[in-house]
Amino acid sequence: MSEFHIGERFFAEGLILDLKGDVTKQAEDALLQWRKWQQALDGKRNLVLNFSDVPYINSAGIAALIRLIDACLKAGIDTYAFGLTSHYQKLFRVVGMTEFLMIYPDEYSLRKRFDDVALE
Amino acid sequence: MRDIASAIGDLNAPEPRLDDMLTAVAEACLNAIEHGNGERAELPVQVTFLVCDDKYALRVRDCGAGIDAATLRPPAKEENVRTKLGWDNPRGWGMRLMRHCADSIHTGFETDGLFYVELQFARSGLGKGERDE
């Protein structure tokens, strides 16, 4: 399995976490740095997970993602994702994660969504 | 997992359900390591890949006592993320993923006493995983 790490990119409406590597139990500590990201968001309400460089997700990784989503929900932060393969989009639907994590096909469509909302 | 993916990839025809197969066998291996072998590194988990005319079968063996066949059947009410929000450790998705990805799951004991979980995937036409789409 490839080593997991997270890059951070800020944008006008929130924070993008660029996930790199397998999302498994080994990714748990990195995914649960919630307090650091909440401070970094500084009042913004959107956290985006970029899965473009994630080749593999297993059930332990799904559990870690659920804990992250749970923390976001409690803080009033909306969570989004892009870059998921069709296979993992399907698995996220199966376990019900898509009720809480809004999935977009790519970063461009997600950014366009934020731009459109800002214009309203 | 790379060896399994490579073995499947060596087949003449590309397998459109490779991702389903890899997810299901990975979850079966995780269960074998954690629950079957009690995370004891010295105990083996064996994976066999069988290619039949009408199906693939991936058999995962461990040294454990086995599982109740009832756990293979979907519960009356499937758990989902909503039911596990707030849990300190919202795990337990492995069997759910295996049931979704594989067309059928069988269990038993080998003659040498090893417990096995066998995941089957149809080769021709659409398997369950595709029909659910």
Side-chain angles (χ1 to χ4, degrees):
Chain A
M1 292 180 180
S2 51
E3 192 176 326
F4 180 80
H5 62 94
I6 300 177
E8 300 166 4
R9 287 186 292 133
F10 292 93
F11 66 110
E13 290 82 10
L15 174 63
I16 298 174
L17 301 181
D18 295 310
L19 312 182
K20 295 188 194 304
D22 297 329
V23 177
T24 63
K25 185 163 176 57
Q26 70 168 349
E28 192 173 57
D29 288 342
L31 280 170
L32 295 178
Q33 299 179 74
W34 169 241
R35 298 209 184 282
K36 179 179 89 164
W37 293 327
Q38 191 172 18
Q39 287 174 353
L41 278 166
D42 192 24
K44 297 188 179 75
R45 318 291 301 173
N46 302 299
L47 184 70
V48 179
L49 305 178
N50 174 11
F51 286 91
S52 303
D53 289 322
V54 172
Y56 173 67
I57 306 170
N58 70 8
S59 53
I62 287 174
L65 291 169
I66 290 170
R67 290 177 67 186
L68 174 60
I69 290 169
D70 191 26
C72 288
L73 280 173
K74 289 184 169 79
I77 306 291
D78 293 328
T79 47
Y80 302 82
F82 68 87
L84 281 162
T85 63
S86 58
H87 174 70
Y88 288 114
Q89 289 185 46
K90 178 181 73 173
L91 295 189
F92 280 20
R93 269 199 309 278
V94 166
V95 302
M97 196 178 298
T98 49
E99 185 178 350
F100 305 98
L101 179 72
M102 289 168 271
I103 297 176
Y104 285 76
D106 50 46
E107 183 170 352
Y108 172 78
S109 55
L110 180 63
R111 296 273 199 147
K112 179 128 186 1
R113 183 263 182 202
F114 283 120
D115 290 344
D116 291 345
V117 169
L119 288 173
E120 288 174 0
Chain B
M1 294 311 301
R2 286 189 184 83
D3 290 341
I4 295 172
S6 176
I8 298 172
D10 285 344
L11 299 171
N12 288 335
E15 177 46 62
R17 294 183 61 205
L18 175 62
D19 286 333
D20 281 344
M21 296 164 73
L22 292 177
T23 287
V25 75
E27 295 301 326
C29 289
L30 285 173
N31 282 345
I33 292 167
E34 183 174 348
H35 303 298
N37 289 353
E39 296 188 0
R40 291 171 58 184
E42 73 275 17
L43 296 180
V45 172
Q46 301 171 358
V47 181
T48 304
F49 179 39
L50 302 168
V51 181
C52 307
D53 288 339
D54 61 338
K55 64 175 181 277
Y56 302 112
L58 286 146
R59 183 173 281 202
V60 179
R61 298 179 185 81
D62 63 52
C63 303
I67 56 175
D68 186 338
T71 63
L72 297 178
R73 294 192 292 271
K77 188 172 171 56
E78 283 276 24
E79 289 181 316
N80 56 31
V81 169
R82 177 173 283 280
T83 61
K84 294 195 179 186
L85 282 176
W87 288 25
D88 286 340
N89 193 8
R91 293 194 61 188
W93 302 105
M95 191 60 74
R96 179 87 181 267
L97 296 179
M98 287 163 56
R99 277 199 301 268
H100 180 80
C101 291
D103 292 323
S104 62
I105 305 175
H106 305 273
T107 63
F109 287 91
E110 303 276 14
T111 52
D112 57 5
L114 292 179
F115 172 74
Y116 71 82
V117 172
E118 183 171 291
L119 308 159
Q120 295 185 357
F121 302 83
R123 287 188 69 176
S124 58
L126 293 178
K128 178 173 68 122
E130 293 299 323
R131 285 197 291 270
D132 284 348
E133 287 298 303

